[in-house]
Amino acid sequence: MKKYVSLTGSVFGIGGGQRYVSNKTEYLTKKGFDVYTLSSSVFSLKGKIVYEGLKQAKNYVMTELGFHPDAYPKYKTKKILQKTIDMLPFAKDDEIFIESNYLIASVWAERIAERIKAKHIIYEISESNTIDAYTRDFIEFKAKRGEFATISTKSVEELLAQSNVLTEQNLQILQANLGDPIEDITDER
């Protein structure tokens, strides 16, 4: 079975990230994928899922994923990784793809992918990024493998300014398909 896991900031409320993940979920579901979202939702736990595509996904919230794995002691990071893997129903012969769309999530996603032998790609949808040396090295590694893309020219310019290795050739800009720009969404607050 083909499975797709999206690590995203929040599935709650209305925003560009939620809309992107919702549309991607609808598309992948039509293509026969089981779709899961792992959301850190650090700042929006009280919201509701409003986009139809996100309602179709199997959604899991783990606030721990909103903080860099190295912010925790190693034993705690291992426990969080194992808890995350255990909650997702994967079988040995599943073909699993993981997409992360913000930099902290990308570090978690890479570690999860390593453990379950999945393919991990980063589609950075934040328009502004300041990165530390570890994250810069990680992005350079993913970009060289063709496993990193970003949503805006501004992001590329910022990342290029922070790296001696990244080039315009190995940084890809992909426009997110957000579907119809006018969409009725019911807010049930």
Side-chain angles (χ1 to χ4, degrees):
M1 171 123 275
K2 288 186 176 183
K3 300 195 175 179
Y4 202 92
V5 180
S6 180
L7 269 75
T8 189
S10 179
V11 294
F12 303 117
I14 298 170
Q18 292 92 331
R19 189 168 182 193
Y20 166 72
V21 175
S22 176
N23 288 346
K24 184 126 192 194
T25 298
E26 287 178 3
Y27 173 80
L28 290 170
T29 301
K30 288 177 187 170
K31 295 289 184 184
F33 281 81
D34 276 352
V35 182
Y36 304 85
T37 61
L38 282 172
S39 167
S40 61
S41 294
V42 175
F43 302 109
S44 58
L45 279 174
K46 294 181 182 174
K48 292 189 187 285
I49 297 175
V50 295
Y51 287 103
E52 288 305 313
L54 289 174
K55 290 177 183 177
Q56 293 174 19
K58 294 150 192 90
N59 296 292
Y60 301 93
V61 176
M62 289 192 61
T63 55
E64 299 94 333
L65 301 179
F67 303 96
H68 197 286
D70 294 341
Y72 299 103
K74 286 184 180 179
Y75 81 91
K76 179 76 172 168
T77 300
K78 285 182 182 178
K79 283 177 81 172
I80 295 167
L81 284 168
Q82 195 57 54
K83 179 181 171 185
T84 304
I85 291 165
D86 289 346
M87 75 169 52
L88 297 167
F90 298 139
K92 196 174 192 174
D93 59 342
D94 286 339
E95 187 176 7
I96 305 166
F97 302 89
I98 302 176
E99 176 182 329
S100 56
N101 59 31
Y102 66 101
L103 293 178
I104 291 172
S106 69
V107 179
W108 284 107
E110 188 73 7
R111 292 181 185 185
I112 293 166
E114 250 176 49
R115 287 180 173 221
I116 63 172
K117 308 292 186 250
K119 177 79 168 179
H120 169 228
I121 59 166
I122 304 169
Y123 181 46
E124 174 56 52
I125 62 173
S126 302
E127 294 186 18
S128 183
N129 290 296
T130 302
I131 55 176
D132 59 25
Y134 171 82
T135 306
R136 182 197 62 233
D137 293 347
F138 176 58
I139 290 170
E140 289 170 350
F141 165 75
K142 294 298 277 184
K144 285 179 193 173
R145 294 173 53 135
E147 297 171 353
F148 179 87
T150 185
I151 196 167
S152 75
T153 305
K154 181 180 177 189
S155 292
V156 168
E157 290 167 356
E158 286 181 0
L159 293 169
L160 289 172
Q162 298 175 68
S163 171
N164 295 325
V165 177
L166 294 174
T167 65
E168 288 187 33
Q169 288 75 35
N170 61 20
L171 280 178
Q172 302 174 55
I173 301 172
L174 300 175
Q175 295 299 312
N177 178 3
L178 297 178
D180 188 344
I182 301 186
E183 184 175 354
D184 285 332
I185 295 175
T186 305
D187 186 356
E188 300 171 359
R189 284 184 270 181

